[in-house]
Amino acid sequence: MKQSQLFTKTKKESPADEISKNAELLIKGGFIHKEMAGVYAFLPLGLRVIEKIKTIIREEMNAVGGQEVYMTTLQPRDIWEKTDRWDDKKVDNWFKTKLKNGEEVGVGLTHEEPIVDALGGYVSSYRDLPVSIYQIQNKFRNELRAKSGILRGREFMMKDMYSFARTEEEHLKIYEEVAQAYHRVYRRLGIGHITYRTYADGGIFTKKFSDEFQTISGVGEDTIYVDEEKNIAVNKEIYTDENLAKLGLDKAKLVEKRAIEVGNIFPLESKYTDALGVYYTDEHGEKKSIISGCYGIGVSRTMGVLAEIFSDDNGLMWPESVAPFHVHLLVLGDKEEPQKAADKLYADLVKKGIEVLFDDRTGVSAGEKFADADLLGMPYRVVVSERSLKDGGYEVKKRTEEKGKIVTEDELLKLLKAKS
Ligand code: ATP
Ligand code: MG
């Protein structure tokens, strides 16, 4: 991609109406566009990050047998009445709207009801189970506060999976497999070492805990207590002596931290399947309840978390697994020689399958190009200039390092290939 053709431009000034670092950096860099509080559009650079996050999640959900679907945003009232989640007194962050005939419809904020309802059309026998179904799409929640940029949106992207099993034992096996898949997702996103599986409240209809995945960050809304040795945490909302004893955690070993919930998995028992009348018949012809679980990951929130964590005073520092491009190639000066060399290098890199953002703009100072490279945060910056050519090649520098070095094209290809 040539930067001269990218319709977005970086901004020098921080947006006046944003207090969160993720929104500030992402808006300055042209990754996202703010429509209104809590509602953001994703622009070319931002969409590339989102798509990479989605690919990682998709691969890991497919690896544990997830089947992808795409449910609807508009929701009929009746299925939500069956589970008693339609009334605004029960669920207070619904967006609702009306059809021309006056009938009320909901705007999807989660999808247990429609998934279970659809499943009922296909599953009736023990032979049809277990199954796991997931989707990645936008959710809508009328959040009271939306001041944390894309960490808390009123419209946001979520991956939500739902598992359906014949027995509690079968359910638990799937639940654990998905929990492990979550660890792999966060590891691949570069936040595995600061993301903890965290015991949390299981909701109103189960005595079990749910498992949140919490990433340590000073801007987090949640307080958790981490046991570093066991690599596990407990949310403040259930932090009682009784619960700690139940979980086998030693209070003296727990360290208090602020964290952001990047995912959440729940045992649902048979609450939704029973309420919507979806059962299966076992080997003996007996009608049985279906045990389910639900598994969410905040896709856009996770991008915000990455922006919060992987950044410095000058801008973003994307991990290689989600960076919009691996290399930011800069040509300095408007002379013919470096221009030609950079054009050739760009073509060569692209041919080798390396994703390159090429700052080919003319009439832009070196200082401005360097500042943009820091702000946009590609893992590698490669500079072609009269001086680099005189020194024998191109200057390559990692975004996370202070100093670059001169390499030949072969050395550069090796370096990038080894890394990509
Ligand atoms: P929170 O406790 O942060 O309000 P939640 O418990 O209501 O979130 P879930 O319904 O479990 O969230 O949704 C699954 C995941 O979706 C969450 O773990 C979080 O990462 C993400 N998420 C939830 N609400 C939002 C939001 N308003 N904006 C962005 N991401 C969100
Ligand atoms: Mg939650």
Side-chain angles (χ1 to χ4, degrees):
M1 172 100 219
K2 290 186 173 170
Q3 210 168 328
S4 61
Q5 276 154 33
L6 190 64
F7 83 82
T8 59
K9 311 249 180 310
T10 59
K11 295 182 202 295
K12 291 223 164 51
E13 302 301 323
S14 296
D17 57 343
E18 291 287 358
I19 49 174
S20 69
K21 181 161 88 166
N22 71 84
E24 185 196 330
L25 289 175
L26 294 171
I27 289 172
K28 268 179 93 176
F31 292 84
I32 61 173
H33 168 75
K34 185 179 192 171
E35 291 286 352
M36 56 179 126
V39 182
Y40 296 88
F42 292 84
L43 305 178
L45 294 176
L47 188 60
R48 290 181 74 100
V49 177
I50 285 288
E51 290 303 325
K52 290 190 176 183
I53 296 174
K54 280 163 57 172
T55 298
I56 289 174
I57 294 174
R58 209 172 248 135
E59 285 174 4
E60 296 300 343
M61 293 306 107
N62 292 345
V64 291
Q67 299 181 46
E68 188 169 1
V69 297
Y70 199 86
M71 303 306 286
T72 66
T73 294
L74 292 182
Q75 288 296 311
R77 174 182 182 149
D78 62 324
I79 54 174
W80 296 84
E81 279 180 339
K82 286 185 185 159
T83 59
D84 200 19
R85 291 214 291 179
W86 178 258
D87 196 327
D88 289 338
K89 286 188 209 91
K90 292 283 163 60
V91 175
D92 65 1
N93 56 2
W94 266 115
F95 280 109
K96 287 174 183 167
T97 187
K98 277 200 179 102
L99 302 181
K100 292 274 190 204
N101 67 9
E103 204 178 300
E104 259 192 306
V105 292
V107 179
L109 79 178
T110 180
H111 279 81
E112 284 82 1
E113 283 80 348
I115 293 255
V116 171
D117 190 53
L119 182 87
Y122 303 96
V123 168
S124 58
S125 153
Y126 67 95
R127 288 189 207 89
D128 303 329
L129 294 169
V131 285
S132 295
I133 305 169
Y134 77 97
Q135 59 170 348
I136 304 175
Q137 45 108 267
N138 278 12
K139 301 281 189 260
F140 299 82
R141 292 183 186 179
N142 204 343
E143 302 276 4
L144 196 57
R145 271 177 294 276
K147 289 184 183 157
S148 320
I150 58 172
L151 295 179
R152 185 172 294 287
R154 296 197 164 103
E155 172 174 353
F156 61 97
M157 271 173 232
M158 195 201 285
K159 184 284 300 178
D160 44 324
M161 183 153 87
Y162 306 86
S163 68
F164 303 93
R166 289 168 287 206
T167 61
E168 181 62 25
E169 195 188 357
E170 189 170 72
H171 161 76
L172 273 178
K173 186 167 168 279
I174 299 170
Y175 192 85
E176 276 312 310
E177 276 170 10
V178 180
Q180 294 315 313
Y182 270 45
H183 281 304
R184 287 196 295 277
V185 166
Y186 299 120
R187 240 180 274 139
R188 290 177 66 181
L189 294 172
I191 51 176
H193 61 298
I194 46 169
T195 301
Y196 292 91
R197 183 170 173 176
T198 305
Y199 295 111
D201 191 43
I204 40 173
F205 52 85
T206 173
K207 287 202 174 56
K208 292 183 187 136
F209 298 114
S210 76
D211 294 85
E212 294 173 341
F213 288 79
Q214 294 272 5
T215 304
I216 304 301
S217 162
V219 304
E221 288 179 16
D222 289 2
T223 300
I224 65 168
Y225 295 88
V226 178
D227 184 327
E228 302 272 4
E229 253 167 62
K230 290 193 170 146
N231 200 28
I232 201 117
V234 51
N235 195 307
K236 187 174 187 175
E237 65 186 21
I238 62 147
Y239 184 73
T240 63
D241 289 332
E242 192 193 337
N243 279 335
L244 291 183
K246 225 194 271 180
L247 297 167
L249 292 171
D250 177 359
K251 204 170 190 168
K253 286 193 176 152
L254 298 177
V255 185
E256 185 179 305
K257 307 250 183 186
R258 304 288 291 178
I260 306 169
E261 182 195 308
V262 287
N264 200 179
I265 68 179
F266 274 92
L268 300 176
E269 303 192 345
S270 60
K271 164 161 161 117
Y272 294 96
T273 41
D274 286 353
L276 287 154
V278 179
Y279 298 94
Y280 77 97
T281 312
D282 73 7
E283 296 90 324
H284 314 293
E286 235 176 278
K287 183 175 149 186
K288 288 269 175 72
S289 281
I290 297 176
I291 314 297
S292 51
C294 70
Y295 313 83
I297 292 183
V299 176
S300 45
R301 176 180 290 184
T302 299
M303 175 174 166
V305 168
L306 297 177
E308 291 283 343
I309 288 168
F310 298 113
S311 53
D312 63 11
D313 290 343
N314 299 323
L316 295 149
M317 310 166 99
W318 297 111
E320 284 179 44
S321 59
V322 299
F325 295 90
H326 288 149
V327 173
H328 201 161
L329 174 63
L330 278 51
V331 56
L332 304 185
D334 297 339
K335 294 240 174 74
E336 203 186 320
E337 199 198 354
Q339 290 283 346
K340 267 196 170 156
D343 281 341
K344 179 180 176 299
L345 182 60
Y346 175 59
D348 289 351
L349 292 176
V350 170
K351 216 184 292 164
K352 295 274 178 194
I354 295 162
E355 296 175 313
V356 186
L357 178 63
F358 178 20
D359 193 347
D360 61 332
R361 294 173 300 170
T362 52
V364 175
S365 74
E368 266 177 272
K369 289 194 174 185
F370 287 140
D372 268 9
D374 280 348
L375 175 59
L376 297 177
M378 305 318 151
Y380 291 93
R381 186 188 78 187
V382 175
V383 174
V384 181
S385 65
E386 256 187 314
R387 203 170 92 201
S388 81
L389 294 174
K390 208 179 291 163
D391 289 346
Y394 318 110
E395 190 217 36
V396 58
K397 184 184 94 64
K398 274 190 165 182
R399 175 64 179 83
T400 50
E401 287 170 3
E402 283 298 311
K403 281 186 93 157
K405 61 175 178 191
I406 297 287
V407 291
T408 63
E409 181 167 331
D410 277 350
E411 288 165 341
L412 180 65
L413 282 171
K414 221 179 194 172
L415 186 78
L416 297 175
K417 261 281 233 350
K419 285 285 149 195
S420 66

